[in-house]
Amino acid sequence: MSENKITTASPPPSAAPSAEGIAAAVKAAQKGRGLPPVDTWNPEFCGDLDMRIARDGTWFYLGTPIGRPELVRLFSTILRKDGDDYVLVTPVEKVGITVDDAPFVAVDFEVDGTGTDQRLTFLTNVGDSTIAGPDAPIRVERDPETGEPSPYVLVRANLEALIDRKSFYRLVEIGAHHEGWFGLWSDGMFFGLIPSAELPQG
C-alpha cells in the first residue's frame, strides 16, 4: 500500500482493522497534547495488523514503509506492550503488530553534569525524550556468538529504544569504572555496560 494512500477516513463498521481506521480513532480520542492514556483503554482484541517496526525504527504497513513522520508519531503514541506482544490501542479496538527488536531507536542524547551528577537525556526517532535513571534504565544485551552489544534505554511503560551505534560510541567515550564495571552514570544511578576486566588493557 502506498504511503500516500494512508488517510484518516473511518472504515465501515464491519471492516477489518486498518491503519486508516486506527488513525481516525486516535485523532477522535485525542485530548490535549499529552500521550493518550493507553493504559486505561481495554477494548477487545481485533486481530493482527500487517504493520511492522524494523530494527532500524522504520515502520511498515502492508510491506511498504510509512513515509509520513506525523503518522508514525501518531501510531507510536498508542503503542503498548502486553506481555511479550506489541499492540496498538484505541478506545474501541486493539490490534497486534510485529516489532523486530525494540519499538523505538534512540538517535541522539544530551549530557548534563559530570561524574556521579551526570544526566543523560535520550531522544528517539519518533520524538520522545527520556532521562536515563531509576525509572528509565539502560541495559545491554550481547550476542552470544559475536559478543556484539545491543544497548537499550527504557522510554515508557515497558517500551524500549535501541540506542543507535553512533550514540553508543559517544556513550562509551564518557563511560566510567565503578565497582568492577565499566558503564554510565545518569540521574544518580550507575548502569554497568561490561565488566571492567573484559575491557582491553593498555
Side-chain angles (χ1 to χ4, degrees), residues 83-129:
D84 293 328
D85 300 321
Y86 289 94
V87 294
L88 298 182
V89 185
T90 77
V92 296
E93 61 187 332
K94 177 171 67 175
V95 297
I97 69 169
T98 299
V99 177
D100 289 354
D101 192 341
F104 308 133
V105 177
V107 295
D108 200 2
F109 69 91
E110 296 179 353
V111 184
D112 293 315
T114 59
T116 58
D117 294 325
Q118 181 172 269
R119 175 177 286 191
L120 305 173
T121 302
F122 290 88
L123 177 68
T124 74
N125 60 314
V126 292
D128 287 311
S129 64

Side-chain angles (χ1 to χ4, degrees), residues 3 30 39 44 62 74 79 85 113 125 140 146 163 170 176 186 198:
E3 64 188 54
Q30 278 183 330
D39 290 338
E44 291 186 6
L62 300 177
L74 180 68
L79 184 63
D85 300 321
N125 60 314
V140 175
T146 66
I163 300 172
R170 287 176 55 210
S186 184
E198 295 185 19

